[in-house]
Amino acid sequence: MSNSAPVSTRTSRILTALLCAGLFLHVLSAVGVFLIKPESISTTPDPLDYRLAAIQILDNQHFSFAAPEFDAPQLLRTPLYPALLAGTYLLDGRTGLVMILIQSLSLVLMAFLLFRILIRLRVPDNIALLLTTLYLFEPLQWLYSLHTMTETFSSLVLLVLVYLVIVPSSIRGKCLSALFGVGLAVIVLMKPSGTMWIPFMLMMLGAIPGSFHERMKRLLIACFFLVLVLSPWVIRNYNLTGYPVISSSGPFNFILFAGTSETQPDEYWDVVTMASYNGHSNQVWYAYTTNAYPMLLETQKTILEKADMTSLIMRQIAYAPVVWFGFLTKHNEESYGHAYGMIATFIFGDLGSRYAGTLLILDVMFWSVALVLFLYGSVLLARLKDIRWLYLPLFGMVAATVFINFQASWVRVMLPMYPILAIAAGIALARIFAYFQFKGTHAKVRP
């Protein structure tokens, strides 16, 4: 891999000012949300679920949304984020303020790591600063940092692993492999959908130069620590259900995506009951409890036996634009692109809703340009012998995120992919600007 380009004193000063401004604004927004709209921290089902689980960890020392008398051990959510949230509740009186402050700090750290990666790949300073700015203040990412949700932390861990491979440091060999295994396990225990990234990240780890023996050793060490960290959680679930399950989210989302009245047996509906506890209602009780998990798997098996695989695959492909662009609709005066209209409404109220349609158009234009730059940059990176085997697994992660969706994933699943998009866009922009600069210089010297 090429050595990184030197960073000028001017660039260092701009970067420092940018990160300080980002830190100030993100912390200010976190405190502002806490003081002005504290109810917004945990209003939708996901953040409310994590909040309930954190409270149960503190009050009853068990992992569930429900109190112990409901006998509903948690399977859909994984335990790491609720455990972290519970720890912050000890500091802020269970308000969520400490967690969103930490997430604000994490965004600034991620921006710094992204800048270092871009410079390492010899992206020009000005382009690296532009992409770092966009990353630091991207509205959807900013919005999710202000909720008690997993997106910010899972993005941070994934970016740190990518950084450790691309940017040389003293962490190499066995230590890097062990950290990789632990990091991948942390991602899965925080965000079960991250399981699909494991093969690609292991490919990236194996792509680090070395003999075949060294590469295999790295992969074995990483896999050992991955299994080691996941084992207590998997054993717990096996004791509850008889299955070595990490999360019920996979079959749950698949049934929502592919199930029909013909493929879902009558017994399946017997366990789909309304459950209410702690002010939280849930119509998918079976997905959260261990006694009904076998029925969940049996229903998934029935659907797969009767499914038209070609039709399922085509439905996945047809839904992919929703993951990249968002829901391209305007509903109730809110833009459903990357939720930018909802963000404007959140901040400005009725005034923000007036411009929902305009924001939706700008959203489509921005992400169309991003798609072109990502694809062009990916082609350029794939042609570089010293970087292609590190980048191609990252390209595979983006493709898997977009196309393996079960119509349950939305644009928020793209948040951990933003650094990968920025890497490709940075390479693409560098090539485009270099081309026009060359044309301009050539025109000046032409007789």
Side-chain angles (χ1 to χ4, degrees):
M1 188 186 302
S2 303
N3 292 327
S4 57
V7 178
S8 67
T9 302
R10 176 177 175 274
T11 298
S12 297
R13 290 174 178 172
I14 294 175
L15 177 64
T16 300
L18 172 65
L19 295 178
C20 289
L23 179 62
F24 173 77
L25 291 174
H26 284 301
V27 170
L28 180 65
S29 68
V31 175
V33 165
F34 174 73
L35 294 177
I36 300 171
K37 292 188 175 182
E39 71 283 355
S40 68
I41 296 174
S42 299
T43 54
T44 56
D46 283 356
L48 181 58
D49 285 348
Y50 292 124
R51 183 178 181 88
L52 289 173
I55 290 173
Q56 292 301 333
I57 289 173
L58 291 176
D59 291 346
N60 299 304
Q61 293 76 53
H62 81 131
F63 185 64
S64 175
F65 303 157
E69 58 266 24
F70 283 91
D71 190 25
Q74 180 53 241
L75 285 179
L76 186 71
R77 307 292 181 198
T78 41
L80 190 53
Y81 188 81
L84 293 173
L85 188 59
T88 64
Y89 279 178
L90 296 174
L91 302 174
D92 62 16
R94 306 186 181 187
T95 63
L97 175 61
V98 170
M99 180 58 81
I100 62 174
L101 285 174
I102 293 174
Q103 291 172 174
S104 298
L105 296 173
S106 298
L107 275 184
V108 178
L109 173 59
M110 287 190 287
F112 172 74
L113 295 178
L114 175 61
F115 179 83
R116 290 288 305 276
I117 290 174
L118 293 171
I119 293 300
R120 172 62 178 167
L121 298 178
R122 302 189 70 82
V123 173
D125 291 7
N126 55 346
I127 297 176
L129 286 170
L130 171 64
L131 293 171
T132 300
T133 303
L134 291 175
Y135 183 78
L136 185 59
F137 298 112
E138 196 280 325
L140 189 65
Q141 183 168 241
W142 193 343
L143 176 68
Y144 276 100
S145 73
L146 300 176
H147 290 73
T148 50
M149 299 182 71
T150 64
E151 273 66 30
T152 302
F153 273 131
S154 59
S155 299
L156 173 62
V157 176
L158 188 64
L159 181 56
V160 167
L161 295 182
V162 173
Y163 177 87
L164 289 175
V165 171
I166 294 179
V167 180
S169 68
S170 58
I171 304 177
R172 287 288 159 189
K174 295 179 181 179
C175 290
L176 176 61
S177 303
L179 278 175
F180 234 76
V182 173
L184 291 176
V186 166
I187 292 174
V188 172
L189 290 176
M190 191 173 294
K191 191 178 185 68
S193 61
T195 305
M196 66 179 173
W197 300 330
I198 290 177
F200 300 104
M201 293 302 292
L202 290 176
M203 289 169 57
M204 191 180 184
L205 179 65
I208 298 176
S211 66
F212 176 79
H213 175 75
E214 291 172 340
R215 296 184 184 204
M216 291 304 299
K217 189 175 181 180
R218 282 200 298 266
L219 293 177
L220 288 174
I221 292 174
C223 290
F224 171 79
F225 278 92
L226 170 65
V227 173
L228 182 66
V229 176
L230 288 178
S231 291
W233 177 248
V234 173
I235 291 172
R236 174 259 195 187
N237 292 339
Y238 182 82
N239 290 334
L240 289 169
T241 68
Y243 297 90
V245 58
I246 292 177
S247 167
S248 65
S249 60
F252 166 60
N253 289 331
F254 178 77
I255 291 172
L256 289 180
F257 166 69
T260 66
S261 58
E262 296 178 352
T263 56
Q264 294 174 352
D266 293 338
E267 307 87 67
Y268 172 83
W269 296 106
D270 293 339
V271 294
V272 181
T273 58
M274 173 68 78
S276 299
Y277 42 80
N278 294 347
H280 180 46
S281 297
N282 207 313
Q283 293 181 336
V284 286
W285 182 245
Y286 67 88
Y288 296 75
T289 57
T290 55
N291 59 331
Y293 187 72
M295 176 58 68
L296 189 69
L297 295 186
E298 186 63 30
T299 302
Q300 178 183 241
K301 180 181 177 182
T302 302
I303 293 172
L304 286 171
E305 289 174 348
K306 298 183 179 182
D308 178 354
M309 297 308 297
T310 301
S311 176
L312 290 180
I313 292 172
M314 293 307 297
R315 284 175 63 188
Q316 292 278 56
I317 294 174
Y319 197 76
V322 173
V323 180
W324 186 274
F325 291 101
F327 291 104
L328 303 182
T329 60
K330 181 181 174 185
H331 181 65
N332 293 334
E333 300 303 318
E334 291 183 336
S335 166
Y336 278 83
H338 279 68
Y340 299 154
M342 289 184 283
I343 295 171
T345 303
F346 173 81
I347 298 174
F348 300 111
D350 293 337
L351 182 62
S353 66
R354 296 180 188 177
Y355 303 101
T358 302
L359 289 168
L360 183 59
I361 294 173
L362 294 175
D363 170 64
V364 173
M365 293 174 58
F366 176 85
W367 283 93
S368 296
V369 173
L371 180 59
V372 172
L373 291 176
F374 170 66
L375 293 176
Y376 180 46
S378 296
V379 171
L380 295 176
L381 285 162
R383 294 171 60 185
L384 299 176
K385 293 181 179 180
D386 58 346
I387 191 64
R388 69 166 61 130
W389 298 115
L390 289 177
Y391 178 73
L392 287 178
L394 298 180
F395 178 86
M397 290 171 64
V398 175
T401 300
V402 172
F403 290 101
I404 303 177
N405 48 63
F406 294 146
Q407 293 189 5
S409 300
W410 192 43
V411 288
R412 79 187 223 202
V413 304
M414 288 295 294
L415 296 183
M417 300 295 104
Y418 281 178
I420 305 172
L421 307 186
I423 290 171
I427 297 296
L429 289 171
R431 176 63 65 89
I432 292 170
F433 283 126
Y435 172 79
F436 283 106
Q437 190 174 36
F438 169 79
K439 293 286 285 186
T441 304
H442 185 69
K444 290 178 181 179
V445 300
R446 181 178 298 174

